[in-house]
Amino acid sequence: EVLLFHGTSPIAGEQISRGNFRVNLAGSTTGTLYGRGIYLAENASKSDEYAPEDPDTGHHTLLVCRTTLGRVRYTSARSPDPRECEDACQSGSFH
């Protein structure tokens, strides 16, 4: 179990904290390099890149997520096939 960061908009952050992450909305604003999923980072400075400024307050939204980790799937491909990554994580040995 580790603490990881997730950068998001203020509205999405509120919805996630009231309910849960919704994988069906994954990448709807920033894309999905490795397929649909929940993207977390161990450094706040990485997640900060995905947290737009709230025009009313000037704040950026970062969620600190208590996370359990599984088996790592590593790829060095410059342009990985997102569906292949997604399939491997949902039904392969990395599930």
Side-chain angles (χ1 to χ4, degrees), residues 16 20-28 32 35-39 83 86 90:
I16 292 167
N20 209 337
F21 283 98
R22 292 183 50 198
V23 177
N24 64 317
L25 296 177
S28 54
T32 53
R36 292 171 294 183
I38 299 163
Y39 287 70
R83 294 293 174 239
E86 196 175 304
Q90 290 182 345

Side-chain angles (χ1 to χ4, degrees), residues 1-4 40 42 66-72 94:
E1 187 174 284
V2 296
L3 295 177
L4 298 174
L40 304 168
E42 55 188 331
R66 193 166 128 193
T67 310
T68 57
L69 303 177
R71 295 184 58 199
V72 174
F94 302 98

Side-chain angles (χ1 to χ4, degrees), residues 7-64:
T8 190
S9 70
I11 293 170
E14 190 69 35
Q15 292 171 338
I16 292 167
S17 65
R18 286 189 181 162
N20 209 337
F21 283 98
R22 292 183 50 198
V23 177
N24 64 317
L25 296 177
S28 54
T29 56
T30 57
T32 53
L33 178 63
Y34 299 105
R36 292 171 294 183
I38 299 163
Y39 287 70
L40 304 168
E42 55 188 331
N43 294 315
S45 59
K46 180 63 179 175
S47 294
D48 170 77
E49 297 174 25
Y50 299 93
E53 182 177 327
D54 182 321
D56 297 328
T57 65
H59 296 160
H60 299 260
T61 303
L62 284 182
L63 301 177
V64 179

